[in-house]
Amino acid sequence: MYDYVIVGAGFFGSVFARQMTDAGAKCLVIEKRSHIAGNCYTDDVDGIHVHQYGPHIFHTNDEGVWNFVNRFARFSRFSYRPKVNFRGRMLSFPINLTTLHQLWGVKTPQEAERRLQAERIPIENPANLEEWVLSQVGRELYETFVYGYTKKQWGREPKTLPSSIIRRLPIRLTWNDDYFNDRFCGIPEGGYTQLFQKLLSGIPVETNVDFLADRCRFESRCKQVVYTGPLDRLFEYELGANDWRGLRFQHQVIQTADHQGIAAINYTDAETPYTRSVEHKHFDPVQSDHTVITHEYPADWQVGDEMYYPVNNEQGEQLQQRYLAMLPKNYLVGGRLATYRYYDMHQVIASALHLATKEIARDKGRVLRTSAHPPLTRR
Ligand code: UDP
């Protein structure tokens, strides 16, 4: 009998399994795909660690999370500084003084601020992504960096999307072109898959196993299920399906040492069909005379496709809440798919650590109250 059957070997399930195993619980991790690591999965293609489901750059402000992941990998000092290609012109991104110098020739924060003041469109209460960006930086920057990319990415007009999608990107009037503001940032040397192998070491993991195809058997083998898949699928779409954006990746080996000179280029015009080209060897550098490039094509999504970006409209939120209310008592949920939230890796890890801490405390409380069950002990 397992204490926990954990469905899904992405960050949420794997971190929870690690913490509970170290506290003395008996865990089994099952994974539908043929591999662990969820969408962080990296595959070794002729010595280059390829991010198979899109680039994953680890960043966090949370020292506890940073210390935790550093137990399982050494992180390089990579920081994410993508470039934008807009109709063939290469520009610095996210918007910073270099960008504004390239576009307008300004050289100081004061000059940049004066120019932005003239560009900003006064909109008192921006009601959507388009209005918010226009009110922050004006039309030229909106059309150069945001309109085309966002329309491709989400398959709809930016004026129909919430501004929360883009507010995570910095706009800086300094020469700093780092994509993230976080204190800690890096890429696990050796790839994410190796990090997950260490994270899950000593814990039984079964890949190519679909929990839902054998749900009763798994439920009968454990006290609690930790489910990290989508809730609509768990309930066989009884109330309907949640909406996602899909992605298609085109991976390509090229016989050149360095194809684009940087990890990622965003194509921000509406005409180029892909949003990004990624050159994986810049994440985790290796010497080789070949390279792997991935073009990322946003795609409409339908049930059965891989899920990437949740379309968090009101209808989706309501559906998610209704499914949550249907969860059996012995189910715990977490992670991007089950919570229907576009989380960064560090947020998922923090929530898994939090849940594990709660479970350990709950178990200790139960032992104190009943003394019927040996306590979970730390190794
Ligand atoms: N975005 C944009 N232009 C860019 C990059 C991002 O307009 O060159 C917008 C777009 O709407 C996107 C959002 O910013 O959905 C968040 O971007 P982020 O880089 O966080 O997306 P991710 O890398 O997670 O796909």
Side-chain angles (χ1 to χ4, degrees):
M1 188 74 173
Y2 291 102
D3 291 301
Y4 299 96
V5 163
I6 296 156
V7 184
F11 257 129
F12 192 90
S14 304
V15 169
F16 184 82
R18 174 79 276 143
Q19 293 303 87
M20 296 315 295
T21 303
D22 287 354
K26 202 170 165 217
C27 299
L28 169 69
V29 179
I30 56 175
E31 168 56 56
K32 188 161 162 267
R33 285 175 174 164
S34 60
H35 59 76
I36 58 171
N39 280 2
C40 303
Y41 177 68
T42 47
D43 198 10
D44 187 329
V45 177
D46 299 332
I48 296 170
H49 297 120
V50 174
H51 296 220
Q52 289 288 342
Y53 302 94
H56 283 72
I57 299 107
F58 200 91
H59 60 97
T60 183
N61 260 326
D62 184 331
E63 199 165 356
V65 168
W66 181 243
N67 290 339
F68 179 82
V69 290
N70 275 272
R71 283 170 48 197
F72 308 101
R74 198 164 70 188
F75 278 72
S76 70
R77 57 186 283 280
F78 180 87
S79 59
Y80 192 43
R81 298 186 148 88
K83 298 286 171 236
V84 152
N85 179 323
F86 179 69
R87 300 189 175 142
R89 185 163 182 202
M90 299 303 291
L91 294 163
S92 182
F93 193 74
I95 294 169
N96 68 86
L97 257 187
T98 310
T99 322
L100 304 183
H101 177 70
Q102 289 168 326
L103 289 175
W104 298 333
V106 294
K107 296 188 193 72
T108 64
Q110 294 72 22
E111 280 175 36
E113 178 53 34
R114 272 198 298 280
R115 177 69 192 253
L116 274 176
Q117 266 173 20
E119 293 285 327
R120 287 184 192 121
I121 299 178
I123 301 172
E124 210 169 303
N125 290 311
N128 55 58
L129 191 152
E130 177 170 297
E131 287 186 4
W132 186 79
V133 179
L134 290 175
S135 73
Q136 298 296 305
V137 294
R139 188 160 296 280
E140 184 181 344
L141 294 181
Y142 171 67
E143 283 176 359
T144 306
F145 295 102
V146 177
Y147 177 74
Y149 188 100
T150 301
K151 194 174 174 200
K152 289 189 287 190
Q153 172 87 331
W154 293 95
R156 58 204 78 192
E157 288 294 326
K159 60 172 169 268
T160 66
L161 292 165
S163 64
S164 55
I165 290 173
I166 202 166
R167 282 179 186 232
R168 59 205 243 146
L169 301 195
I171 299 167
R172 297 196 196 97
L173 300 192
T174 69
W175 301 99
N176 179 5
D177 61 350
D178 202 328
Y179 207 69
F180 304 113
N181 285 322
D182 297 292
R183 281 168 71 199
F184 309 104
C185 184
I187 299 281
E189 288 174 9
Y192 282 91
T193 305
Q194 195 172 294
L195 182 157
F196 274 79
Q197 280 161 355
K198 291 200 177 134
L199 185 57
L200 287 165
S201 113
I203 300 169
V205 179
E206 294 177 12
T207 49
N208 290 312
V209 174
D210 185 357
F211 170 73
L212 296 178
D214 216 353
R215 183 171 169 179
C216 293
R217 188 171 69 88
F218 284 115
E219 284 177 343
S220 68
R221 289 170 70 193
C222 69
K223 294 178 195 154
Q224 298 238 74
V225 173
V226 178
Y227 182 80
T228 73
L231 294 191
D232 52 5
R233 185 162 185 262
L234 179 68
F235 295 109
E236 295 170 346
Y237 307 102
E238 196 182 317
L239 307 175
N242 261 327
D243 197 11
W244 295 80
R245 269 308 269 172
L247 282 176
R248 189 169 62 79
F249 298 101
Q250 194 181 63
H251 305 291
Q252 201 183 350
V253 178
I254 300 179
Q255 289 308 320
T256 181
D258 193 348
H259 177 68
Q260 62 182 33
I262 199 149
I265 298 177
N266 291 359
Y267 290 79
T268 56
D269 60 82
E271 299 78 42
T272 308
Y274 42 85
T275 45
R276 278 196 285 222
S277 65
V278 169
E279 186 165 17
H280 300 269
K281 70 193 301 186
H282 291 289
F283 288 124
D284 192 4
V286 284
Q287 298 291 334
S288 63
D289 52 12
H290 67 284
T291 189
V292 182
I293 299 285
T294 300
H295 287 99
E296 222 174 281
Y297 295 81
D300 290 336
W301 179 88
Q302 54 194 30
V303 170
D305 294 346
E306 296 288 357
M307 289 146 275
Y308 290 97
Y309 298 98
V311 180
N312 290 116
N313 53 25
E314 209 171 300
Q315 198 187 336
E317 297 295 330
Q318 281 173 11
L319 192 56
Q320 174 70 7
Q321 290 309 318
R322 289 171 69 201
Y323 278 129
L324 272 174
M326 287 163 66
L327 270 182
K329 275 206 163 51
N330 63 334
Y331 270 59
L332 298 166
V333 294
R336 189 173 49 94
L337 298 181
T339 57
Y340 193 57
R341 281 267 166 274
Y342 186 61
Y343 281 137
D344 286 333
M345 290 177 281
H346 66 98
Q347 296 167 312
V348 170
I349 294 170
S351 66
L353 290 173
H354 180 71
L355 180 66
T357 304
K358 257 175 66 181
E359 281 297 287
I360 292 166
R362 189 181 60 92
D363 199 76
K364 279 193 182 136
R366 197 167 57 211
V367 173
L368 287 179
R369 277 196 302 277
T370 65
S371 298
H373 181 292
L376 299 177
T377 48
R378 288 200 172 274
R379 255 204 251 166

